[in-house]
């Protein structure tokens, strides 16, 4: 029963989405307990990516100071102040999803956000955040975009301190849809700023000291137990931003010697090669402990500089090792620009998955090309997708883009006579919904999902 392109697109929109990659529920540590600050339009626009890339576009980015990652108070910026940067972004897909999310959620006149509509839109944004608060606002955006469950990258205090700080009802509402993923970098003495307080707080929560090497391994296992007991689902490595993803299998004997020499501060007391060797050893243990607890591994791959540090094939020894058999690996961001190797891995190894997250929002033409290739090459149950956004606005724009790009790519194959429409529907349903259940396990279905 061949239908129309329009029917097919509608079908794809009707598939409940499980978002496998997100930061929208308060970044690594959670939203403030009182989450009703009247956040400004400039703050939402420059909450993450559009600030990160500003240094490549203009000489002076001081005007953006205090906008990224700040959600506990309103930060004011006028249109005139941000326009010189915004004007460089007008053609970027990363801007387009933000703009379209703002249009869907708040509404504005005309094609672009400019001097004539900025202030009116700013008022609407502030009013919405002040009325609902960040958490309820995100939940309503999830319902509106037919998203049932959503990953959240976190440090351990998110599922302990942050959850506990919320009222009973609010906590239940958040736990109903969130799939927390524990960022491991801090336990490896590396990564972004939240990793160190995350590690220190872990020691407090477990009433433990850094101690001897074996004691630390014990802490790592207990941290994962606590994370899982508080509703954790996966673990995450972002460490490719800071070093190579090649983790050598360093002996425990060598690691123990290095641990003694490190005296609790390996980054200071060890030579860089020794530091890497200790990290390598600890990482293998962390991955083994995660596998034993059924926690899948998500790895930031591809986008970073230099890109060779995050080539998915650097983790081939991990994927092929008997020691880590059964560990599910989610290759994030398509591994682009090393997506070819990522596809070969997902096509070869049972527990390796190819995740489109971020790719279409980074560049919609890139996303379309990579999706089309991956659908041709990788078995359909091995493809995952996620938004990788940090605000409800960018999230809504990105979900709409993901659905339309997957629809376009699949419909092209139907029209070209390459696959049947029935197959195309099956692949779309697999990408947006079914494959997440394979990746997370059937037990994920016990979660009630987001309630409006
Ligand atoms: Zn991310």
């Amino acid at each position: 029963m061949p239908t129309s392109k329009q029917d097919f697109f509608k079908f794809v929109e009707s598939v409940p989405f499980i978002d496998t990659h997100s930061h929208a529920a308060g970044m690594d540590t959670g939203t403030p307990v009182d989450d009703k600050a009247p956040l400004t339009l400039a703050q939402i626009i420059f909450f993450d990516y559009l600030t990160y890339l500003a240094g490549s576009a203009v000489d002076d980015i001081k005007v953006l100071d205090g906008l990224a990652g700040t959600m506990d108070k309103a930060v004011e910026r006028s249109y005139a102040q941000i326009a010189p940067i915004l004007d460089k972004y007008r053609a970027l897909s990363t801007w387009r999803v933000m703009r379209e999310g703002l249009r869907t959620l708040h509404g504005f006149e005309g094609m672009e956000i400019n001097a004539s509509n900025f202030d009116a839109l700013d008022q609407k944004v502030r009013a919405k955040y002040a009325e609902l608060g960040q958490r309820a606002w995100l939940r309503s955006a999830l319902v509106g975009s037919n998203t049932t469950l959503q990953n959240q990258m976190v440090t351990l205090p998110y599922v302990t301190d942050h959850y506990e700080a919320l009222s009973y009802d609010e906590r239940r509402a958040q736990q109903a849809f969130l799939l927390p993923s524990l960022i491991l970098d801090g336990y490896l003495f590396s990564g972004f700023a939240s990793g160190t307080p995350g590690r220190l707080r872990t020691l407090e929560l477990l009433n433990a000291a850094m101690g001897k090497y074996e004691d630390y391994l014990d802490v790592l296992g207990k941290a994962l137990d606590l994370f899982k007991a508080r509703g954790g689902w996966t673990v995450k490595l972002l460490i490719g931003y800071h070093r190579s993803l090649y983790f050598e299998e360093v002996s425990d004997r060598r690691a123990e010697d290095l641990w003694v020499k490190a005296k609790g501060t390996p980054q200071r007391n060890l030579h860089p090669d020794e530091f890497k060797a200790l990290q390598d050893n600890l990482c293998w243990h962390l991955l083994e402990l995660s596998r034993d607890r059924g926690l899948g591994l998500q790895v930031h791959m591809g986008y970073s500089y230099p890109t060779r540090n995050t080539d998915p094939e650097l983790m081939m020894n991990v994927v092929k090792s008997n020691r880590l058999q059964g560990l599910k690996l989610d290759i994030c961001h398509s591994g682009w620009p090393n997506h070819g190797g990522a596809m070969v891995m997902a096509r070869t190894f049972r527990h390796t998955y190819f995740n489109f997250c971020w790719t279409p929002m980074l560049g919609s033409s890139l996303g379309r090309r990579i999706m089309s290739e991956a659908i041709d090459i990788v078995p359909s149950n091995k493809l995952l997708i996620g938004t990788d956004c940090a605000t409800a606005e960018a999230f809504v724009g990105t979900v709409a883009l993901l659905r339309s790009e997957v629809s376009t790519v699949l419909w092209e194959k139907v029209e070209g006579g390459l696959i049947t429409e029935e197959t195309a529907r099956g692949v779309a349903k697999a990408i947006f919904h079914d494959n997440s259940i394979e990746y997370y396990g059937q037990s994920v279905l016990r979660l009630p999902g987001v309630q409006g």
Side-chain angles (χ1 to χ4, degrees):
M1 40 105 227
T3 55
S4 66
K5 181 175 175 178
Q6 214 183 1
D7 286 342
F8 182 68
F9 277 47
K10 261 196 210 137
F11 168 78
V12 174
E13 267 168 26
S14 76
V15 176
F17 175 34
I18 300 177
D19 184 355
T20 63
H21 196 119
S22 179
H23 309 267
M27 300 295 277
D28 303 355
T29 52
T31 40
V33 177
D34 175 5
D35 65 343
K36 293 188 172 173
L39 303 181
T40 65
L41 175 55
Q43 205 169 352
I44 296 301
I45 290 175
F46 288 101
F47 189 73
D48 56 348
Y49 299 122
L50 298 179
T51 288
Y52 307 155
L53 61 88
S56 77
V58 296
D59 293 327
D60 184 0
I61 58 166
K62 269 207 278 306
V63 68
L64 302 181
D65 283 356
L67 289 177
T70 312
M71 279 274 193
D72 54 346
K73 60 175 189 304
V75 185
E76 317 277 335
R77 290 293 183 278
S78 68
Y79 180 74
Q81 285 177 293
I82 61 169
I85 297 173
L86 215 48
D87 285 343
K88 316 291 186 295
Y89 293 162
R90 301 288 184 188
L92 298 181
S93 302
T94 310
W95 165 244
R96 191 146 50 88
V97 296
M98 172 60 78
R99 187 190 70 199
E100 293 311 304
L102 285 162
R103 189 195 308 280
T104 303
L105 292 175
H106 305 279
F108 61 86
E109 296 280 319
M111 169 78 187
E112 258 297 348
I113 294 172
N114 52 35
S116 69
N117 58 21
F118 186 87
D119 289 344
L121 180 57
D122 186 33
Q123 288 309 318
K124 287 195 228 177
V125 169
R126 290 172 195 241
K128 192 54 85 178
Y129 276 93
E131 180 202 342
L132 290 182
Q134 291 162 47
R135 290 180 291 275
W137 180 230
L138 174 63
R139 293 198 295 270
S140 85
L142 290 161
V143 170
S145 61
N146 192 16
T147 303
T148 53
L149 299 171
Q150 186 173 50
N151 153 285
Q152 174 71 19
M153 305 306 176
V154 303
T155 57
L156 187 65
Y158 190 108
V159 295
T160 57
D161 305 37
H162 168 61
Y163 273 173
E164 283 162 25
L166 303 176
S167 71
Y168 177 80
D169 287 346
E170 186 85 33
R171 181 162 65 244
R172 290 287 297 260
Q174 292 293 98
Q175 288 171 328
F177 74 91
L178 283 174
L179 304 168
S181 182
L182 182 66
I183 302 166
L184 299 177
D185 299 26
Y187 302 109
L188 300 170
F189 306 90
S190 186
F192 293 103
S194 64
T196 302
R199 180 181 71 247
L200 298 176
R201 182 65 185 137
T202 298
L203 292 169
E204 279 175 15
L205 288 164
L206 297 172
N207 203 8
M210 288 275 289
K212 289 192 257 177
Y213 170 75
E214 308 85 67
D215 300 335
Y216 189 62
L217 294 185
D218 192 48
V219 162
L220 297 179
K222 285 182 173 150
L224 292 174
D225 286 336
L226 180 59
F227 174 65
K228 206 176 169 189
R230 298 299 174 92
W233 283 91
T234 48
V235 294
K236 168 98 194 269
L237 280 176
L238 275 161
I239 205 163
Y241 278 115
H242 305 276
R243 53 154 280 182
S244 158
L245 286 178
Y246 177 62
F247 298 98
E248 217 174 307
E249 209 174 345
V250 173
S251 74
D252 287 353
R253 247 186 104 156
R254 169 124 199 263
E256 198 175 345
D257 289 345
L258 293 171
W259 185 262
V260 171
K261 189 176 171 191
K263 295 195 202 76
T265 325
Q267 57 278 53
R268 192 168 62 216
N269 294 329
L270 298 182
H271 180 274
D273 292 342
E274 293 175 326
F275 181 31
K276 182 180 182 296
L278 179 61
Q279 276 189 333
D280 288 358
N281 172 275
L282 292 174
C283 189
W284 273 83
H285 280 289
L286 266 170
L287 299 190
E288 207 172 16
L289 294 164
S290 301
R291 188 273 320 272
D292 292 347
R293 286 156 180 78
L295 300 162
L297 171 67
Q298 305 185 269
V299 183
H300 175 94
M301 288 178 168
Y303 194 102
S304 70
Y305 190 78
T307 57
R308 64 173 175 274
N309 272 356
T310 45
D311 184 339
E313 291 186 62
L314 290 170
M315 289 194 77
M316 207 56 107
N317 60 337
V318 165
V319 169
K320 289 172 79 169
S321 157
N322 277 334
R323 187 175 157 193
L324 290 174
Q325 243 187 40
L327 176 72
K328 285 180 177 168
L329 171 66
D330 166 351
I331 297 180
C332 299
H333 319 311
S334 311
W336 178 81
N338 299 302
H339 49 292
M343 286 181 206
V344 173
M345 286 170 75
R347 189 180 154 108
T348 306
F349 301 105
R350 179 66 189 100
H351 296 118
T352 302
Y353 292 77
F354 185 93
N355 197 328
F356 297 119
C357 61
W358 194 6
T359 317
M361 185 241 285
L362 185 61
S364 59
S365 54
L366 173 74
R368 195 176 290 193
R369 179 163 60 82
I370 288 184
M371 278 176 176
S372 184
E373 288 180 10
I375 288 168
D376 286 346
I377 291 170
V378 181
S380 60
N381 62 318
K382 307 296 293 295
L383 302 171
L384 297 172
I385 200 162
T387 54
D388 204 358
C389 294
T391 60
E393 285 74 9
F395 163 77
V396 163
T398 300
V399 179
L401 176 72
L402 296 180
R403 290 198 197 268
S404 92
E405 293 298 340
V406 169
S407 301
T408 301
V409 164
L410 283 168
W411 191 254
E412 211 177 81
K413 295 183 195 294
V414 172
E415 278 195 327
L418 306 181
I419 59 175
T420 66
E421 185 179 345
E422 195 188 354
T423 298
R425 287 184 182 227
V427 171
K429 188 165 170 288
I431 291 173
F432 283 103
H433 183 267
D434 299 351
N435 297 346
S436 302
I437 294 165
E438 176 175 319
Y439 181 78
Y440 285 108
Q442 289 289 325
S443 54
V444 81
L445 292 171
R446 286 205 295 266
L447 286 174
V450 70
Q451 322 284 315

